[in-house]
């Protein structure tokens, strides 16, 4: 209960964090119930007795489905979460012991903390992290097809007038939810925003959006098309990951839909206490963006509706941007709009590693295997062209004159050239 009080004191001002607090309570409840079956741990205070540390580790492993034969967890993420919660509870217990001047209890808590710092990683965390890493091996990276994205956009454009008309003629809970889910999906898909960020957009974020007229001096640096786009879209700033400020662009059609939702909130049962723009009727929570996208993805008839998620749509725009020849400042601008720093953008949002290895590195390996690497001296990976269906002659060794010519060319190449070194090494080995 004190753990829940701690989280509420820290996050209680943000209603969007209530679900996070609800999740933490049953996690620890499952651990306490499992610990009681061991006989030694009846209450949380028993967890902090140094002699019971092994029982605490055993209880965590049992709760998370530990398999002794494979040294793996069935739910590895839960073991990490329980470890963090135990650390929080340890801090709370130490604070209470100091406040009550209970030296014996404080000594037990501090000893438990030392034991956890020294052995928790070895007995729990290391195995859980290994399980999480291995679960991602050989997992295909699914990126939405452009045709599915176009089909989804067309479906949203076609349904929007219908849902607006229904809400205007019959303002009820069902029609309000239909238009709210469609608009929420449209904002997420167009802006490639994280679904949680848009779902938690507050009513004030929209009402207090920036509608200023652009500076004439700045317009001198824009093209005619860019000037028109600045007048076409409206920009809303919302809270992103790690409290970063991230923008959301709204087209006139989306703005009209949101205005209609705002005007009919009370008629459709959305309470005034609900601070969310996409709030649920008769509740103080918000609609889930993931549910909205999933429903629209299946409705539009996409070939692979499971790939149409906010995360994969974000990866698609960041990955496909490599096709463009973006300058550093343009890449920074795109990364800033996506809501992550440039290091994350370059490290995690590139072409899939498997694609690079098959498409790029395989050409070098094939050229080496066929004795043709020297033919591509001075070329980049993009310039090398090797046909995988080309037949390789049985006797692939070079003739004497060709050997001499190749070696001379390799020896005459600058020593700083990596391609020269590779050709020279290959030729010597071949001879």
């Amino acid at each position: 209960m004190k753990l829940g009080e701690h989280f509420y004191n820290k996050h209680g001002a943000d209603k969007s964090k209530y679900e996070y607090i609800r999740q933490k309570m049953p996690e620890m409840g499952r651990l306490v119930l499992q610990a009681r079956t061991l006989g030694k741990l009846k209450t949380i205070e028993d967890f902090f007795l140094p002699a019971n540390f092994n029982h605490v580790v055993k209880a965590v492993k049992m709760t998370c489905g530990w398999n002794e034969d494979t040294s793996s967890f069935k739910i590895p993420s839960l073991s990490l979460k329980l470890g963090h919660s135990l650390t929080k509870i340890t801090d709370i217990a130490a604070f209470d012991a100091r406040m009550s001047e209970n030296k014996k209890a404080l000594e037990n808590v501090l000893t438990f903390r030392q034991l956890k710092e020294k052995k928790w990683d070895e007995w729990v965390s290391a195995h859980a992290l290994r399980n999480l890493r291995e679960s991602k091996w050989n997992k295909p990276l699914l990126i939405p097809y452009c045709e599915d994205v176009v089909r989804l956009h067309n479906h949203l454009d076609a349904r929007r007038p219908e849902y607006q008309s229904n809400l205007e003629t019959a303002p009820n809970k069902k029609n309000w939810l239909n238009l709210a889910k469609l608009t929420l999906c449209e904002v997420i898909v167009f802006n490639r925003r994280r679904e949680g960020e848009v779902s938690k957009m507050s009513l004030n974020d929209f009402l207090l959006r920036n509608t200023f007229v652009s500076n004439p001096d700045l317009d001198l640096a824009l093209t005619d098309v860019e000037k028109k786009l600045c007048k076409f879209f409206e920009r809303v700033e919302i809270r992103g990951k790690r409290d970063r400020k991230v923008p959301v662009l709204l087209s006139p059609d989306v703005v009209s839909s949101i205005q209609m939702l705002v005007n009919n909130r009370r008629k459709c049962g959305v309470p005034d206490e609900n601070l969310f723009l996409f709030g649920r009727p008769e509740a103080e929570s918000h609609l889930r963006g993931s549910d909205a996208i999933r429903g629209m993805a299946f409705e539009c008839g996409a070939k692979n509706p499971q790939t149409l998620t906010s995360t994969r749509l974000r990866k698609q725009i960041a990955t496909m941007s490599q096709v463009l020849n973006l300058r550093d400042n343009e890449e920074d601008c795109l990364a800033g709009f996506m809501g992550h720093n440039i290091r994350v953008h370059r490290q995690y949002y590139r072409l899939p590693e498997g694609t690079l290895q098959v498409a790029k590195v395989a050409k070098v390996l094939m050229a080496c295997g066929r004795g043709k690497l020297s033919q591509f001296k001075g070329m980049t990976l993009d310039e090398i062209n090797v046909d995988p269906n080309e037949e390789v002659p049985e006797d692939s060794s070079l003739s004497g004159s060709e050997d001499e010519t190749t070696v001379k060319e390799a020896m005459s190449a600058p020593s700083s050239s990596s391609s020269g070194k590779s050709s020279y090494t290959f030729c010597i080995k071949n001879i």
Side-chain angles (χ1 to χ4, degrees):
M1 293 298 293
K2 289 183 178 180
L3 177 67
E5 183 181 354
H6 163 77
F7 284 124
Y8 184 79
N9 291 335
K10 186 176 180 179
H11 304 294
D14 186 0
K15 290 188 176 181
S16 63
K17 296 291 181 66
Y18 285 4
E19 186 62 31
Y20 170 77
I21 301 174
R22 291 191 190 99
Q23 291 174 0
K24 291 299 176 182
M25 300 301 290
E27 286 175 5
M28 284 305 301
R30 290 167 63 184
L31 176 61
V32 172
L33 290 175
Q34 185 65 58
R36 287 175 179 171
T37 63
L38 300 177
K40 292 285 186 179
L41 306 173
K42 297 298 183 182
T43 64
I44 287 291
E45 286 77 7
D46 295 334
F47 280 52
F48 304 122
L49 297 177
N52 290 339
F53 182 75
N54 287 336
H55 298 288
V56 175
V57 173
K58 185 177 180 180
V60 170
K61 287 185 173 182
M62 292 174 64
T63 305
C64 303
W66 173 255
N67 189 325
E68 196 69 40
D69 297 331
T70 59
S71 297
S72 61
F73 288 102
K74 183 179 180 180
I75 316 175
S77 59
L78 179 59
S79 64
L80 299 176
K81 294 176 182 178
L82 290 176
H84 296 314
S85 297
L86 283 173
T87 300
K88 293 288 185 184
I89 291 179
T90 304
D91 294 337
I92 295 171
F95 176 81
D96 290 345
R98 286 190 174 97
M99 289 289 291
S100 61
E101 297 183 354
N102 189 335
K103 294 184 180 180
K104 182 61 178 177
L106 178 60
E107 181 182 352
N108 290 336
V109 171
L110 296 180
T111 303
F112 177 85
R113 178 186 294 173
Q114 292 176 352
L115 293 173
K116 186 176 182 298
E117 290 175 354
K118 292 182 179 297
K119 285 295 183 180
W120 192 263
D121 177 67
E122 175 186 344
W123 290 347
V124 179
S125 299
H127 300 289
L129 293 173
R130 175 176 54 81
N131 295 155
L132 291 174
R133 286 194 301 268
E134 291 178 354
S135 66
K136 297 179 181 179
W137 293 355
N138 295 320
K139 187 176 181 180
L141 177 60
L142 301 176
I143 295 180
Y145 292 126
C146 290
E147 58 179 308
D148 283 346
V149 178
V150 172
R151 188 176 282 110
L152 177 59
H153 277 289
N154 292 337
H155 177 75
L156 296 174
D157 291 337
R159 285 298 182 92
R160 187 191 314 108
E162 176 188 347
Y163 288 167
Q164 288 180 345
S165 177
N166 292 341
L167 181 60
E168 188 175 7
T169 55
N172 54 48
K173 177 180 175 181
K174 178 182 177 181
N175 291 335
W176 195 93
L177 281 174
N178 287 337
L179 182 59
K181 291 178 181 178
L182 182 140
T183 307
L184 175 58
C185 176
E186 194 168 7
V187 174
I188 295 172
V189 172
F190 178 77
N191 288 273
R192 300 302 200 272
R193 288 257 70 86
R194 297 181 180 92
E195 58 90 12
E197 295 172 354
V198 181
S199 300
K200 298 173 185 176
M201 185 192 303
S202 69
L203 181 61
N204 283 335
D205 289 337
F206 174 75
L207 297 178
L208 301 177
R209 65 190 183 280
N210 199 338
T211 57
F212 71 95
V213 180
S214 61
N215 191 326
D217 296 333
L218 296 179
D219 289 346
L220 298 175
L222 303 176
T223 64
D224 293 338
V225 175
E226 291 170 344
K227 293 176 184 177
K228 292 180 181 179
L229 291 176
C230 289
K231 296 178 181 179
F232 184 80
F233 287 101
E234 294 191 18
R235 184 171 177 270
V236 179
E237 293 177 346
I238 62 176
R239 178 183 297 177
K241 191 175 182 180
R242 297 183 180 178
D243 290 335
R244 292 193 187 103
K245 178 185 69 176
V246 293
V248 171
L249 302 182
L250 305 177
S251 66
D253 291 332
V254 173
V255 172
S256 66
S257 296
I258 296 178
Q259 289 283 14
M260 189 172 293
L261 291 171
V262 173
N263 295 336
N264 291 276
R265 282 171 67 93
R266 286 187 175 177
K267 296 179 182 178
C268 299
V270 181
D272 295 338
E273 294 78 16
N274 193 322
L275 305 178
F276 301 107
L277 179 61
F278 300 102
R280 295 179 183 273
E282 303 175 1
E284 295 186 22
S285 57
H286 55 79
L287 297 173
R288 285 164 48 105
S290 57
D291 295 338
I293 296 178
R294 189 182 305 111
M296 293 298 169
F298 281 97
E299 282 185 19
C300 72
K303 292 182 178 179
N304 296 284
Q306 71 277 6
T307 63
L308 294 175
T309 64
S310 64
T311 301
R312 292 191 173 107
L313 287 168
R314 286 169 58 80
K315 284 185 179 293
Q316 183 205 34
I317 190 65
T319 300
M320 298 307 294
S321 66
Q322 295 176 75
V323 177
L324 307 175
N325 187 20
L326 298 180
R327 294 189 292 268
D328 288 343
N329 63 316
E330 294 172 334
E331 200 170 89
D332 291 340
C333 181
L334 177 61
F337 182 84
M338 298 297 290
H340 47 241
N341 59 44
I342 192 63
R343 182 189 64 81
V344 173
H345 182 84
R346 289 171 177 163
Q347 183 174 356
Y348 295 104
Y349 289 87
R350 290 298 190 181
L351 280 176
E353 184 180 11
T355 302
L356 287 176
Q357 290 175 348
V358 173
K360 306 284 187 181
V361 181
K363 294 191 292 187
V364 178
L365 299 177
M366 290 174 61
C368 285
R370 296 176 180 181
K372 293 184 176 182
L373 188 61
S374 59
Q375 297 179 11
F376 305 109
K377 182 179 66 175
M379 294 185 181
T380 64
L381 288 177
D382 292 331
E383 296 170 343
I384 296 176
N385 187 14
V386 180
D387 186 2
N389 297 321
E390 180 183 355
E391 295 184 1
V392 182
E394 295 181 2
D395 185 8
S396 60
S397 60
L398 299 173
S399 62
S401 59
E402 290 177 337
D403 285 345
E404 294 177 5
T405 303
T406 307
V407 173
K408 287 178 181 179
E409 289 178 355
M411 291 294 289
S412 62
S415 59
S416 60
S417 172
S418 60
S419 60
K421 287 182 180 179
S422 301
S423 301
Y424 175 73
T425 305
F426 170 75
C427 292
I428 293 300
K429 289 182 178 180
N430 193 38
I431 293 171

